[in-house]
Amino acid sequence: MAETLNSLADLAAASPVQAAPVHVQKLDKFGRAYATGKRKNAVARVWIKPGSGKVTVNGRALDVYFARPVLRMILQQPLEIAKRVGQYDLMITVAGGGLSGQAGAVRHGLAKALTYFEPDLRPSLKREGFLTRDSRVVERKKYGKKKARRSFQFSKR
């Protein structure tokens, strides 16, 4: 830090320009991409590999585990944005939380796994917000309160 900079030319010469990080494909020895997704208290582990579009969640079919169409739609969003519906086999294990949190965790993990398998998909998935972990969780209960914020009923007599 002993150097003093007198012009913009000195600044350009002093600090090298850092290139954007290059994302590379991350696969295991079986040719699968793995990622972990989280939402509320749910944690999903997602493995993807090229295939016919078969999806298993905790050893069961997708339609059996996530019976509500809204939850299945949430899961399919990253594949629809990337235009890869039916091109990958998904093996998912999910634990914790409720079904809605689990669906959000699977969506997060699937988007991350897609970027590990095909790094070129990262900008489109990031633009939609699928790579960001939703940090909203249930607020803790406080002492002197009935719930996190709800007070006990007040009565003057």
Side-chain angles (χ1 to χ4, degrees):
M1 282 311 226
E3 303 175 14
T4 57
L5 304 175
N6 297 324
S7 67
L8 290 176
D10 294 342
L11 178 64
S15 62
V17 177
Q18 294 179 350
V22 177
H23 297 282
V24 295
Q25 190 179 42
K26 297 179 188 174
L27 301 179
D28 64 4
K29 62 182 179 182
F30 301 109
R32 304 175 302 186
Y34 166 78
T36 304
K38 295 182 180 182
R39 168 85 170 93
K40 293 186 177 180
N41 280 336
V43 179
R45 300 183 301 162
V46 181
W47 288 268
I48 66 169
K49 65 178 180 178
S52 59
K54 181 182 167 203
V55 181
T56 58
V57 182
N58 289 351
R60 295 190 286 189
L62 177 68
D63 299 339
V64 174
Y65 195 85
F66 291 112
R68 285 188 284 170
V70 174
L71 299 178
R72 290 196 300 267
M73 179 203 69
I74 288 172
L75 266 95
Q76 295 295 326
Q77 285 176 337
L79 293 171
E80 290 170 359
I81 294 297
K83 297 178 180 64
R84 301 290 190 272
V85 177
Q87 294 183 16
Y88 290 108
D89 288 342
L90 310 176
M91 211 274 289
I92 301 163
T93 59
V94 63
L99 285 177
S100 175
Q102 288 183 350
V106 171
R107 180 178 78 173
H108 182 226
L110 177 57
K112 283 172 59 176
L114 277 171
T115 60
Y116 293 155
F117 202 88
E118 294 184 59
D120 298 337
L121 298 176
R122 186 175 172 83
S124 60
L125 292 171
K126 191 167 178 63
R127 190 177 321 114
E128 295 296 324
F130 295 148
L131 297 178
T132 305
R133 194 247 198 251
D134 192 349
S135 61
R136 296 175 296 169
V137 293
V138 176
E139 189 175 352
R140 77 172 190 88
K141 184 193 176 301
K142 284 31 164 236
Y143 59 87
K145 299 281 187 180
K146 195 173 181 83
K147 292 169 45 177
R149 298 186 180 197
R150 166 111 168 75
S151 298
F152 295 104
Q153 183 173 347
F154 176 77
S155 175
K156 196 160 188 177
R157 341 176 186 235

